[in-house]
Amino acid sequence: MTFSLDLDEELLQVRDWVHGFAKDVIRPAAAEWDEREETPWPILEEAARIGLYSLDFFAAQSLSASGLGIPVAFEELFWGDGGIGEAIAGTGLAAAAVATSGTPEQVEEWLPAMFGTPDDVAVAAFCSSEPGAGSDVSAIRTTAVYDGAKDEWVLNGTKTWATNGGIAGVHVVVASVDRELGSRGQASFVVPPGTPGLEQGQKFRKHGIRASHTAEVVLRDVRVPGRCLVGGKERLDERLARAREGRRGRGQVSMKTFEATRPAVGASAVGIARAAYEYALDYAREREQFGKKIGDFQAIAFKLADCKTAIDASRLLVWRAAWMVARGMPFDNAEGSMAKLVASETAVRVTDEAIQILGGNGYTRDYPVERMHRDAKIFTIFEGTSEIQRLVIGRAVTGLPVR
């Protein structure tokens, strides 16, 4: 088998198409929506009109033979802007939860509803974290109780840090069905649009990715039909029986979703890092001090060299993880976590260096690297903090219960 890192013609076309949208539509609007701290619905609508924000596009890239469709597209989206990129990509987490664990009927019913249509754009939300359960998903207190007489599940609890929480049409909620089993006693539920009892709580005012809506989701006696249990009741009963008998499970509900999306998150971080690096590089080639371009000074050239090296290394880790997913290869050494860890910390480091290269200019909102720096930080926190990634990798490579 011949090994190649060359993108095929189809992926090159996707890359250039998304890059063009990011350059012409996202970047000119980035500062405005960052200041407004609102979901950029007009940009979502424009993306939907051209087929960029759609189930067909996300599905096609997710199913690309090389596995690189989503990483290539997301790098370009987030090169455009982190906040708007997250507004476009945020629905993907809820979609991944149903696509990876749902029945064919659930995939067919709920995934199209998550995106809506070009004339009626919708977003979806994946609700896992809680005020007392962030990295520790086993501490989830939201409950789901089965009402057999009506074949309904009754959900109660409060979720936090939910991208698109409260404004979404479809919410996918992780809840405990048997608290004694901890994370092995959890399941995911689709909450359809307009379901009584689901309300938006606090909307968070954030340091970065401010064009992406993040809020609490409050569930008070939310009733959903039995068909809304992701994967179905028969599969859940089998999984609970295994857990009660002490047999090995197949992983936590939330973690299965996060692990599947880590290459995409890593690619998003690479996009932000690349954007900051390119801006700093152009600046270093033009800015003069002491009669020279500042890029002539070793102090600046070494910064740029380190940034470029880290970006390329991060992209390779992301591509490897995505390639493994496409081939059904297990992350025996936590390759998904490696990609997410290195890419997210690279984004923070590169955007910080970009500000340093621009000096005082970089610290002002007149230059985009300030916003990129704020946007980058969340990647070391959401969908598994850097500390959790190291824990996952440590357990994988040692085979020991690292704590």
Side-chain angles (χ1 to χ4, degrees):
M1 177 180 176
T2 302
F3 175 76
S4 174
L5 288 173
D6 290 334
L7 300 178
D8 62 30
E9 186 61 32
E10 185 175 345
L11 274 178
L12 288 173
Q13 290 177 0
V14 168
R15 183 195 65 186
D16 294 345
W17 178 53
V18 179
H19 182 83
F21 184 82
K23 177 177 178 289
D24 297 335
V25 179
I26 294 178
R27 280 201 164 181
E32 174 191 351
W33 290 101
D34 176 72
E35 290 287 346
R36 291 175 64 166
E37 298 191 51
E38 296 174 0
T39 299
W41 290 108
I43 295 178
L44 283 174
E45 290 165 358
E46 189 163 351
R49 281 195 295 273
I50 66 170
L52 176 56
Y53 181 75
S54 69
L55 174 58
D56 287 345
F57 176 76
F58 277 68
Q61 302 319 309
S62 297
L63 297 174
S64 63
S66 65
L68 301 183
I70 288 293
V72 166
F74 277 29
E75 180 177 333
E76 299 306 325
L77 272 180
F78 284 77
W79 173 89
D81 179 63
I84 296 176
E86 184 62 22
I88 293 173
T91 293
L93 192 57
V98 175
T100 58
S101 301
T103 65
E105 294 77 15
Q106 289 171 332
V107 170
E108 183 178 357
E109 179 177 8
W110 296 115
L111 262 64
M114 291 180 180
F115 292 89
T117 67
D119 295 325
D120 188 15
V121 172
V123 294
F126 181 69
C127 307
S128 177
S129 294
E130 296 183 3
S135 296
D136 182 11
V137 296
S138 64
I140 284 175
R141 301 188 66 84
T142 295
T143 59
V145 178
Y146 185 58
D147 181 348
K150 296 182 178 180
D151 186 27
E152 292 180 338
W153 290 88
V154 184
L155 279 61
N156 281 283
T158 299
K159 295 295 182 178
T160 194
W161 308 121
T163 299
N164 297 328
I167 66 170
V170 175
H171 291 75
V172 179
V173 178
V174 179
S176 174
V177 296
D178 188 334
R179 284 191 54 81
E180 292 183 1
L181 296 177
S183 60
R184 297 182 67 184
Q186 295 171 0
S188 293
F189 298 84
V190 173
V191 181
T195 301
L198 185 149
E199 299 176 354
Q200 178 183 308
Q202 175 188 5
K203 177 187 175 183
F204 295 104
R205 301 182 64 208
K206 305 188 301 294
H207 177 64
I209 59 166
R210 301 198 303 190
S212 172
H213 176 96
T214 308
E216 290 181 330
V217 174
V218 181
L219 304 112
R220 296 188 179 93
D221 292 329
V222 172
R223 286 183 169 269
V224 298
R227 64 185 174 83
C228 291
L229 166 62
V230 177
K233 194 168 188 305
E234 182 178 347
R235 191 187 303 177
L236 173 63
D237 289 341
E238 291 175 356
R239 181 160 56 83
L240 295 177
R242 286 197 304 270
R244 288 166 185 147
E245 292 170 7
R247 287 185 283 159
R248 187 175 179 83
R250 298 179 182 174
Q252 299 166 334
V253 172
S254 293
M255 290 301 102
K256 186 174 181 180
T257 299
F258 292 145
E259 192 68 8
T261 60
R262 277 173 182 155
V265 176
S268 305
V270 170
I272 293 175
R274 193 184 106 215
Y277 160 76
E278 290 176 359
Y279 197 93
L281 177 63
D282 288 343
Y283 188 89
R285 287 168 169 167
E286 297 298 326
R287 174 73 166 173
E288 291 190 5
Q289 291 286 280
F290 306 104
K292 293 182 178 180
K293 307 293 186 185
I294 65 171
D296 282 340
F297 293 101
Q298 189 181 83
I300 301 300
F302 277 18
K303 287 181 183 295
L304 293 167
D306 287 344
C307 288
K308 176 61 173 173
T309 301
I311 290 167
D312 283 9
S314 298
R315 184 184 296 109
L316 287 172
L317 282 172
V318 167
W319 283 16
R320 179 184 68 170
W323 181 84
M324 291 176 69
V325 170
R327 279 148 188 78
M329 300 169 66
F331 288 156
D332 290 335
N333 291 298
E335 288 85 354
S337 290
M338 288 183 188
K340 198 268 186 183
L341 170 66
V342 174
S344 63
E345 297 201 342
T346 291
V348 172
R349 186 167 65 253
V350 170
T351 54
D352 185 73
E353 290 287 38
I355 289 178
Q356 195 69 22
I357 290 170
L358 268 69
N361 286 333
Y363 199 67
T364 71
R365 294 191 180 182
D366 294 330
Y367 291 79
V369 293
E370 178 271 341
R371 184 181 68 253
M372 294 170 186
H373 186 257
R374 288 188 286 108
D375 290 344
K377 182 57 188 172
I378 191 60
F379 287 87
T380 66
I381 299 172
F382 71 175
E383 297 192 39
T385 64
S386 289
E387 291 73 21
I388 288 296
Q389 306 308 324
R390 288 185 169 91
L391 187 66
V392 171
I393 297 165
R395 288 174 176 172
V397 299
T398 65
L400 300 173
V402 179
R403 301 183 185 281

